[in-house]
Amino acid sequence: IVAHTHLDVGWLETFDSYYWLNVSRILPGVIEELAADPSKTFVWAEIAYFKRWYDEDATETQKALLQGFVARGQWEFVDGGIVQHDQACPTAYSIASQMTQGHLFLKQAYNTTPRVGWSVDPFGSSAANAALYGLMDFDALVINRISSDDMTRMMADRALEFLWRPSSSIPPARSQVFTHVFDSYFCMPGGFRWGMNGNNDPPITPANIEARADELVKDLRPRLDWFRTGNLLVPWGCDFMFQNASLVFHNTDLLISYINANPARYNMHLQYATASQYFAAVTAGGLEPFPTRGHEDFFPLVYSSVDHGKRSAQVWSGFYSSRPVLKAMSTQAEALLRASEALFAIVRAGEPRQTQYQAFFDKEFADIETARWDASIVLHHDAITGTGCSGDEGCTGGDQMGGDHNVVENYMALLQSSMILSNRAICDLISFHMSVAGSPAPVYPFTDPY
């Protein structure tokens, strides 16, 4: 059982609204539960939210507890990017940039580097992205959304875990990555989503525990036939889950204890685990039992269904080109960011008196770093894809409608902020370089073009 929460960095509400209304309630409760029971584990992916909590709301006690959890393997940061990025629209540079920024924060805060990629909600998976994860030296990659026909075939072939060799030009030793496809979405089974917004699943009681345990085992047992080992990864979370962490963990504890106490009835052992602990168990006997996959994408994402004998399909391809202005702004922000980064490196490397000008370089680096964070948020799989809500258009989504719905407008504001900061850094760096070289300063005063 891999306890997790999926945190969209904007979708039906803005990043800020989701943080204050949902995410800020998750971390304190989960930390309290893990501190009380060392057998519990948790995995966390989206660093945009975690860093905000760490910087603004975390107590020193909570930070210290998390340090211990990470060291003991109770808490695992997976993926580790600022967001779970889309895999069709961003460039390789922008993906690497946002992953690097998230990983740097984790290294500085907790001296840890994520070992498992976690890309569970993007609308299809690309071989190019898998190659990047191989080059980043991830031990494993977890994906989720693949086409219905692919899922059916891979279930029958017991091929939902495979060694992905995604590049035709980069040697497999550098680019391959062991990959797991979630067989039943990234949420825990229906009926066990306690505390999720709009959900009223009944709690576990002495009166219903046998029936509820039977129900869970009935859901899990068929999944074992789709994999090649006796281990099964059960994602135990969903969108913004664990806002009431004690409720979720208490009911889960009762189920685990009951099922494990009745081996003759269930012939199944449940335990909490991190993603890395699961993959260590699965690959303990080597990779030979697993099939390989070449450099094919899981694009386009096609959901097929049959209704009254008639087959239909939903092809998720509109996001390749939807909201072109947002996509264009993202490209412009990336170009300016790359220019500012390159210029910073050149100017700083060429200035022998770095100590004398340290304050200047620190300010410029901070601006560039902020620009990188702002631009990276828009790589989220509900941002650059265009699936985020716009207040002028109206929004749907039922249980996630309590906050600010101007999500697309918020993404554009972040990109505008990123471009302003990058432009300012470019102008400052050119002016500095020309000034110390003997030319009048400032040569290129900054003016806000936006």
Side-chain angles (χ1 to χ4, degrees):
I1 290 180
V2 178
H4 76 102
T5 184
H6 179 69
L7 307 172
D8 289 311
V9 185
W11 177 34
L12 303 178
E13 299 175 15
T14 63
F15 170 54
D16 288 341
S17 287
Y18 273 143
Y19 179 76
W20 290 116
L21 294 175
N22 304 104
V23 180
S24 62
R25 301 164 55 186
I26 295 171
L27 282 154
V30 173
I31 290 170
E32 184 176 337
E33 289 294 314
L34 267 62
D37 183 358
S39 73
K40 290 184 171 65
T41 59
F42 203 78
V43 304
W44 187 282
E46 294 85 359
I47 304 306
Y49 284 123
F50 185 85
K51 184 179 185 297
R52 180 162 183 175
W53 173 83
Y54 184 92
D55 290 343
E56 297 180 9
D57 296 316
T59 67
E60 293 305 314
T61 298
Q62 289 170 331
K63 292 179 181 179
L65 285 170
L66 268 167
Q67 185 75 61
F69 299 158
V70 172
R72 292 192 298 272
Q74 266 187 279
W75 183 287
E76 180 177 19
F77 290 103
V78 291
D79 213 59
I82 296 172
V83 297
Q84 284 188 47
H85 56 268
D86 172 59
Q87 297 185 29
C89 301
T91 64
Y93 171 84
S94 62
I95 292 172
S97 178
Q98 75 99 14
M99 294 292 287
T100 299
Q101 193 65 50
H103 282 214
L104 281 173
F105 167 76
L106 293 177
K107 191 67 174 178
Q108 293 163 359
Y110 287 110
N111 193 31
T112 188
T113 301
R115 304 304 309 157
V116 175
W118 190 269
S119 189
V120 301
D121 202 25
F123 316 137
S125 292
S126 73
N129 186 76
L132 285 175
Y133 276 60
L135 290 169
M136 287 186 279
D137 202 31
F138 278 101
D139 295 330
L141 170 63
V142 180
I143 63 175
N144 173 44
R145 291 182 184 267
I146 66 172
S147 296
S148 303
D149 290 348
D150 285 333
M151 179 68 78
T152 300
R153 174 182 53 78
M154 294 170 74
M155 285 177 172
D157 294 341
R158 302 172 75 199
L160 292 177
E161 289 178 330
F162 55 92
L163 191 60
W164 200 348
R165 292 174 173 163
S167 176
S168 59
S169 57
I170 304 173
R174 294 182 58 211
S175 61
Q176 70 183 15
V177 61
F178 185 79
T179 304
H180 174 102
V181 182
F182 277 152
D183 56 272
S184 301
Y185 207 53
F186 60 73
C187 296
M188 69 260 279
F192 301 93
R193 298 173 186 175
W194 305 283
M196 187 174 177
N197 288 344
N199 194 286
N200 296 306
D201 290 337
I204 304 300
T205 67
N208 70 14
I209 188 166
E210 181 177 295
R212 299 305 306 283
D214 288 351
E215 180 184 349
L216 179 60
V217 171
K218 182 180 179 181
D219 182 280
L220 300 183
R221 192 174 300 284
R223 303 188 193 185
L224 286 167
D225 293 336
W226 304 332
F227 297 91
R228 301 192 179 200
T229 75
N231 300 287
L232 180 66
L233 195 167
V234 184
W236 205 253
C238 205
D239 290 343
F240 300 97
M241 278 289 292
F242 288 89
Q243 293 181 58
N244 188 341
S246 62
L247 176 68
V248 181
F249 276 120
H250 173 70
N251 283 285
T252 306
D253 288 345
L254 294 174
L255 282 170
I256 290 174
S257 296
Y258 188 82
I259 291 171
N260 290 347
N262 291 275
R265 181 180 182 88
Y266 297 115
N267 191 28
M268 181 181 293
H269 179 82
L270 302 183
Q271 68 181 68
Y272 292 113
T274 64
S276 284
Q277 289 165 353
Y278 169 80
F279 286 113
V282 166
T283 61
L287 299 176
E288 290 76 14
F290 300 99
T292 59
R293 180 182 179 88
H295 53 276
E296 302 87 2
D297 294 321
F298 287 103
F299 282 134
L301 178 63
V302 181
Y303 287 132
S304 303
S305 61
V306 178
D307 185 22
H308 295 92
K310 184 177 181 180
R311 182 182 175 89
S312 61
Q314 295 180 351
V315 182
W316 289 38
S317 57
F319 74 93
Y320 299 157
S321 57
S322 61
R323 299 205 191 278
V325 174
L326 181 67
K327 287 176 168 62
M329 289 182 69
S330 179
T331 301
Q332 293 165 1
E334 179 190 337
L336 286 170
L337 180 60
R338 293 188 70 174
S340 66
E341 291 170 339
L343 191 58
F344 178 89
I346 292 168
V347 172
R348 180 161 184 173
E351 174 48 59
R353 297 164 294 176
Q354 291 184 13
T355 302
Q356 180 180 346
Y357 299 108
Q358 189 61 49
F360 169 79
F361 285 119
D362 286 347
K363 175 188 174 300
E364 299 309 314
F365 185 83
D367 281 352
I368 292 171
E369 193 169 55
T370 301
R372 192 180 300 124
W373 279 88
D374 288 347
S376 292
I377 285 176
V378 185
L379 302 180
H380 167 58
H381 56 270
D382 281 313
I384 195 170
T385 56
T387 57
C389 176
S390 174
D392 292 340
E393 300 169 1
C395 305
T396 60
D399 61 347
Q400 296 184 34
M401 298 302 296
D404 183 357
H405 311 319
N406 294 303
V407 181
V408 173
E409 294 81 355
N410 181 248
Y411 289 144
M412 289 182 172
L414 287 168
L415 291 171
Q416 185 179 57
S417 171
S418 177
M419 287 188 277
I420 289 172
L421 289 168
S422 294
N423 264 319
R424 178 181 293 132
I426 290 168
C427 292
D428 289 350
L429 288 161
I430 293 175
S431 294
F432 172 85
H433 179 68
M434 299 298 290
S435 176
V436 298
S439 299
V443 177
Y444 296 101
F446 171 76
T447 56
D448 183 355
Y450 302 102

